[in-house]
Amino acid sequence: LVLLNGQHQPVIPSAPGAIQRWRIINACTSRVLSLHLTDHPLTQIAQDGAFLPAPIDRDRVVLSPANRADVIVRPTRAGQYTLVADPYQRGTGMMSGMMGDRATGPIILATLAVAGPAVSSSPLPATLPARPIPPGPANAHRELSFAMGMGGTGGMGMRFTIDGRTFDDRRDDQTVHLGSTEDWTITNTSPMDHPFHLHVWPFHVLDDSVGTPRTATRQDVVLVPARGWVRVRIPFTDYSGRSVYHCHTADHEDAGMMGTLTVVA
Ligand SMILES: [Cu+2]
């Protein structure tokens, strides 16, 4: 069961021509939401709370756990529009079957009910105040490897590791100098996707192994494809101190798929 603001399939009233801004947060523990609104584009203006360079009409917005998207919805005609989360395969082959991704059909999240007299609203701005990507070359490159294997606690179940290790808050996994810009390549040797999340320092996605269109803005969660990789550019500005990065699939994080990061002045 997937709820929207604690409600099952709520109705969102609107009028023809009226603008609504929806900030959609994927608060699911492990589900990737592949969202579309029937017969209507989702005009995305922000990702993870940061403006895109310009509004973009999308047929579909894909949010991994903890991703956020701000979308503008302006129906031109009266009618019923359905917000749907389509099935999304988080893994390949056997893993996908084990995770039950195939068994899940489309999920209706809400209905936009458009009725009444038309209203006029001002056009969207052509450009938005996005932060540009920090120029390269980066001061340093790092590689992180997300992996899964057999033999979790007590030898049973799965192990979820980053660079072969599970989380230990007494260990410093990465040490970075304040003010530096780094390119990190996060590889995923496992047969399922892992959403990489870094606290405190948002990043630009440079590239990934499956050609996902870039958001061209700062984000703080990115899906690392099964048996693939993502490359991100991280400006370590503003704050020194200790923080963490982790998989945002909650059960993987709980099993130790997390590391520590120390930014030193
Ligand atoms: Cu994971």
Side-chain angles (χ1 to χ4, degrees), residues 15-227:
I19 285 183
Q20 293 190 0
R21 176 178 179 167
W22 296 355
R23 174 166 285 176
I24 305 169
I25 301 170
N26 182 356
C28 299
T29 53
S30 60
R31 189 188 300 269
V32 175
L33 295 175
S34 177
L35 301 170
H36 81 272
L37 188 61
T38 52
D39 304 319
H40 198 288
L42 293 167
T43 304
Q44 188 175 0
I45 58 167
Q47 170 84 19
D48 294 352
F51 278 119
L52 307 187
I56 299 176
D57 281 349
R58 296 194 190 282
D59 296 331
R60 177 172 305 283
V61 172
V62 177
L63 298 178
S64 69
N67 269 138
R68 292 86 71 205
D70 288 42
V71 298
I72 297 294
V73 176
R74 178 163 52 177
T76 52
R77 286 176 286 108
Q80 306 267 320
Y81 305 82
T82 310
L83 181 65
V84 179
D86 286 310
Y88 180 92
Q89 286 203 7
R90 286 188 296 144
T92 56
M94 189 183 71
M95 278 311 300
S96 185
M98 281 166 61
M99 293 182 294
D101 287 351
R102 284 177 190 153
T104 311
I107 297 164
I108 294 173
L109 295 176
T111 301
L112 177 70
V114 181
V119 300
S120 63
S121 44
S122 50
L124 294 181
T127 61
L128 298 167
R131 294 254 205 132
I133 186 165
N139 303 111
H141 293 77
R142 278 167 214 259
E143 211 161 295
L144 275 64
S145 178
F146 281 52
M148 289 165 52
M150 302 306 287
T153 311
M156 302 289 285
M158 303 295 293
R159 265 169 62 81
F160 295 88
T161 59
I162 301 174
D163 295 329
R165 304 182 292 203
T166 54
F167 180 62
D168 183 345
D169 67 346
R170 295 159 300 184
R171 190 182 63 219
D172 282 327
D173 292 312
Q174 314 292 339
T175 303
V176 171
H177 289 284
L178 180 66
S180 68
T181 294
E182 298 203 355
D183 287 352
W184 288 17
T185 302
I186 301 122
T187 59
N188 176 4
T189 63
S190 79
M192 69 181 296
D193 299 348
H194 298 283
F196 170 79
H197 175 48
L198 173 62
H199 288 211
V200 182
W201 298 277
F203 48 79
H204 277 79
V205 175
L206 299 174
D207 210 357
D208 76 6
S209 54
V210 293
T212 307
R214 283 169 287 176
T215 59
T217 194
R218 306 202 321 181
Q219 56 191 85
D220 55 33
V221 184
V222 65
L223 208 55
V224 188
R227 301 197 195 287

